[in-house]
Amino acid sequence: MNKLSKGLPGIALLVLLTTHLQAQAGDTLQLWVDGICGMCKDRIEDAVYQVPGVAFADWDIASRTLTITQSPEPLDENQLHQQIASVGHDTRRIKATDDAYEALHGCCKYRDAAIVAQHEGGKLKEEEHHDHLHGYVYEHGKGQKRIPLVGANVRWLGSPEGAVTNADGFFELEGADEYGQLIVSYVGFATDTVTINQEGTVQLVLADAVNLNTVEVTRRRRSTEVSFIEPVKVQRIGEDELAKAACCNLSESFETTPSVDVGFTDAVTGTRQIQMLGLASPYVQITRENMPDVRGLASMHGMEYTPGAWIDGIMLNMGTGSVVNGYEAIAGQINVELHKPEEGERLYLNLFANAMQRFEGNLSLRHSLSKNAHTGLLLHGKHQKGRFDQNGDGFLDNPLSEALIGVHRWRFMGKNGWMGQFGIKGTLLESTGGQFDFERGQSEDTDLWGSTHDARRAEAWVKVGKVFPNRPYASMGLQLSGNIHHQESTFGNRSYDGDQESFYANWIYKTIITDTRHQIKTGASWQWDHYDEFFEGQVFDRIESVPGVFGEYTWTGREDFTLVAGLRADYHNLFGAFVTPRLHLRYNFSETAVLRATAGRGQRTANILIEQIGAMASNRNFIIEGGDSNLPYGLEQEIAWNFGLNYAQEFIWGGRQALLSLDAYHTRFQQQIVADFDAHPQALFFYNLDGNSFSNSLQAQLDYELFARFDIRLAYRFNDVRVDYRSEQLQKPLIARHRAFLNTAYETESGWAFDATLNWQGQKRLPNTTANPEEYRLEAASPDFFLLSGQITKSWKDGLFELYLGGENLLNFRQDNPILGSDDPFGNYFDASMVWGPIFGRNLYAGMRYKIQ
């Protein structure tokens, strides 16, 4: 690949910088934290994850023990105690303030004996006893010195009531006239039972520390998790979920996620696009570690630039998100977390091959230069040169392609809460499609129709943050990123060239107002883009500059209710000033049932050429009916309001836990650019919306462990997406109104894993082609169809080595005649953009994963 050979000249140097790897083992820390229920568990663990240096946290309800695995970055234990106390829970070092404690949900009042008794199944005493016992608890120091034990547990034998010693080792306990034996305990010390037969103040000394047998408490986590206490419903898709399928890149990572649809833009280029709430991927804000990623000229191909093997996790939420991340989200947000340079495997290698002769290799390396400095390298290479034409239409079923992508990143920890990271990324990609015998570089007078696509992209980013040690609730951060993107594409006799230069800055400050019940984020941002596009002899050039400020207030005055209200004010150099309000509400009926509501506004500039690049694989004339030469393409920005409700309920069914999720969203466009494929089969019209455009999306999902280690996921979704075209209101084409989904996953204790996913997609309306001659007409709608995929994985040494074998489209379903007019690609009726189903038939694949911890 001649162009790829010129790319990323620094990759060899970057490899050398990360060749000397050293082992890193996370230290384990155990703390006693008071609480009594599952809601307490979620709250404590979520709070702890906000503290730098925490890699994993698990709080055990029965023992009140919080087990923390440290990441390589420094962990401030005092900050850990402060963070836990700030959300209302006592530790042995710091007692939560009365305000923080009173803000807890009623069932979480661990200082209330009646509530404790309800959780423990005990009986409340019929009367209160007001006689008190005072005392101190010590441990032996050097010589005869006694050292106060802070946070020791003191309670009467047979009583649910207890006390915790303060910084001086002092405690006060009621019920001295009823109970005679006192139990004193502290983690790491021998529990002592003392008979009290005196009045006044007692002094107790615990025996020297003893070695305890290790007790490991484990629970089986879902591969996709949803928190019950966050105000926004966020689906956390982990590596285990991504490993259920091939997931060669981000666009292929949602096969087992019913909230996202994946399809193709056309039958020539192989470009994948996702849909959420019935809307295409440009309406979804896609970020990488909370910084802009897939947008602008990368909005259609950009998900191919993130290999699946690099992904540590995906956070997905439907509807509008936080104003902190900008104003562009309309249908949802997808945030991608890559493998971190400071944690995880030192080496991760993934190799993949499939029946289309697609070969891929992915390498992830990380190295700790010191306790406070870490670096990581991610490499990806792809080679696909197999030619296939299973349907016999004379066109390649999949394009020939090659790619080379690399990321090098660094992370540093400074003093007094400072931290920073920066990274660079380079992408080189080229693909060739079209008629079976078409070769890249053929002379222009060839009678073969072909398509080529070349993309070159360079990115860099910097993050700087500070947590204030004396104010653990306060932090600030600065995000900076920039990219240069260039692509060249040809489709038969037409060509498209695009260049984009972008810069992004976002400053965020987080603090509280009076106490932790009132939290606020505020800051300022700037998005700058320069676009230069050339298509069919026309130049489309523009600069967009959008400075803005934002504020987001979170109220957690009640444990069962959270309010998040955000507002942005931005000024666009072409469209003027505008505001973006967003609201999120959460109400917990119980610790296993939550209702969330969301409402907000989104706004974006449509890049109509790249977003309809699939239509360039046709002989349709692009007709842009813009009225203002000062605006991009002469058209207005797109503005939409999104409203959503979702309900989640965990329950026990047949002795096993189940999760039911119900979602309902309505998106209504105030302004939209309509891409009209129906007005004429040889033309594609673009014009401003005059009327209504909306999307209604309903989804029901059930996750259930049918028996030990066997999970099923059932889902049904209904999408009603309508647009007022100039002729009439119609369903948006190529979107299934009905979809059903079944995923099963089974794991054995011996390292085998079996996964299968069955998709049913209902009929899709097809654009009107009645003006064509009969032999070049499409049906009014596509048929419904099923897609089946599956994978078998065998792992050894606790998952450090894995082999997997799988298949896509195992039922071998293919769309008949995906290319209209394939017999005459230079004729008036040629159109490869009417894709509603798979083009390639059954596709088997195999691969391996190898890790060094």
Side-chain angles (χ1 to χ4, degrees), residues 683-695:
L684 172 57
F685 293 86
F686 298 93
Y687 50 82
N688 290 317
L689 175 70
D690 183 14
N692 294 313
S693 176
F694 61 86
S695 166

Side-chain angles (χ1 to χ4, degrees), residues 44-168:
I44 292 167
E45 291 175 358
D46 285 350
V48 168
Y49 277 122
Q50 304 303 314
V51 179
V54 175
F56 176 79
D58 181 77
W59 182 72
D60 180 63
I61 299 174
S63 66
R64 310 293 201 268
T65 301
L66 174 66
T67 301
I68 292 171
T69 302
Q70 294 179 232
S71 68
E73 69 180 276
L75 173 64
D76 185 338
E77 190 172 343
N78 186 56
Q79 182 182 348
L80 193 64
H81 286 268
Q82 290 176 335
Q83 180 71 12
I84 295 169
S86 72
V87 297
H89 289 271
D90 297 340
T91 72
R92 286 202 168 93
R93 184 176 297 181
I94 299 179
K95 182 179 179 181
T97 65
D98 291 341
D99 287 341
Y101 174 78
E102 290 302 323
L104 295 177
H105 187 275
C107 80
C108 299
K109 297 299 178 63
Y110 54 86
R111 298 176 188 169
D112 189 322
I115 300 299
V116 173
Q118 290 174 11
H119 280 279
E120 295 180 350
K123 297 181 179 179
L124 303 181
K125 293 185 289 294
E126 295 180 357
E127 58 180 353
E128 296 286 341
H129 295 274
H130 301 287
D131 292 337
H132 293 73
L133 175 71
H134 305 271
Y136 294 86
V137 180
Y138 300 100
E139 66 170 309
H140 285 296
K142 291 184 178 180
Q144 300 299 316
K145 185 178 180 181
R146 293 178 176 181
I147 302 173
L149 270 179
V150 182
N153 288 304
V154 184
R155 67 179 180 87
W156 294 110
L157 179 63
S159 170
E161 299 181 7
V164 178
T165 57
N166 64 14
D168 299 318

Side-chain angles (χ1 to χ4, degrees), residues 211-425:
N211 293 324
L212 303 177
N213 291 329
T214 300
V215 178
E216 183 178 2
V217 180
T218 62
R219 71 181 179 97
R220 187 167 177 265
R221 302 185 65 177
R222 293 190 177 98
S223 54
T224 298
E225 292 192 325
V226 178
S227 171
F228 275 69
I229 65 173
E230 292 184 357
V232 180
K233 179 186 176 183
V234 179
Q235 300 179 54
R236 289 180 169 84
I237 304 171
E239 283 189 289
D240 289 344
E241 186 72 40
L242 298 173
K244 291 180 179 181
C247 295
C248 294
N249 58 57
L250 179 58
S251 68
E252 300 171 338
S253 299
F254 303 101
E255 183 175 327
T256 61
T257 304
S259 301
V260 178
D261 283 328
V262 182
F264 293 92
T265 63
D266 60 89
V268 173
T269 66
T271 303
R272 289 177 179 259
Q273 70 166 348
I274 65 169
Q275 294 176 355
M276 190 182 297
L277 306 184
L279 300 174
S281 54
Y283 295 105
V284 181
Q285 186 178 37
I286 302 176
T287 59
R288 182 182 65 242
E289 299 178 353
N290 292 312
M291 300 180 73
D293 187 25
V294 181
R295 61 181 300 274
L297 300 188
S299 59
M300 299 307 293
H301 296 92
M303 285 185 288
E304 298 178 29
Y305 306 159
T306 300
W310 291 5
I311 300 175
D312 188 55
I314 299 174
M315 277 65 75
L316 182 153
N317 69 274
M318 294 181 283
T320 56
S322 171
V323 295
V324 175
N325 294 325
Y327 55 84
E328 293 183 328
I330 292 177
Q333 290 183 309
I334 295 174
N335 182 57
V336 180
E337 295 286 334
L338 302 183
H339 289 171
K340 302 293 188 293
E342 71 274 15
E343 61 186 25
E345 296 84 13
R346 291 188 297 132
L347 179 146
Y348 175 44
L349 175 66
N350 171 254
L351 300 177
F352 169 88
N354 69 11
M356 294 186 296
Q357 298 182 22
R358 173 177 173 177
F359 302 95
E360 294 193 7
N362 297 280
L363 179 65
S364 173
L365 299 170
R366 74 170 187 86
H367 178 54
S368 292
L369 304 172
S370 69
K371 184 177 180 181
N372 297 322
H374 315 274
T375 185
L377 176 68
L378 304 172
L379 292 175
H380 166 83
K382 181 178 78 168
H383 177 87
Q384 182 172 340
K385 289 299 182 180
R387 294 175 180 265
F388 298 92
D389 180 18
Q390 294 182 341
N391 54 23
D393 61 3
F395 279 73
L396 292 172
D397 293 336
N398 288 282
L400 316 179
S401 61
E402 291 183 288
L404 179 62
I405 309 172
V407 167
H408 203 190
R409 55 195 306 201
W410 295 261
R411 181 180 175 90
F412 303 95
M413 299 297 299
K415 297 181 180 180
N416 299 320
W418 284 99
M419 62 191 72
Q421 61 172 289
F422 65 94
I424 57 174
K425 179 180 180 181

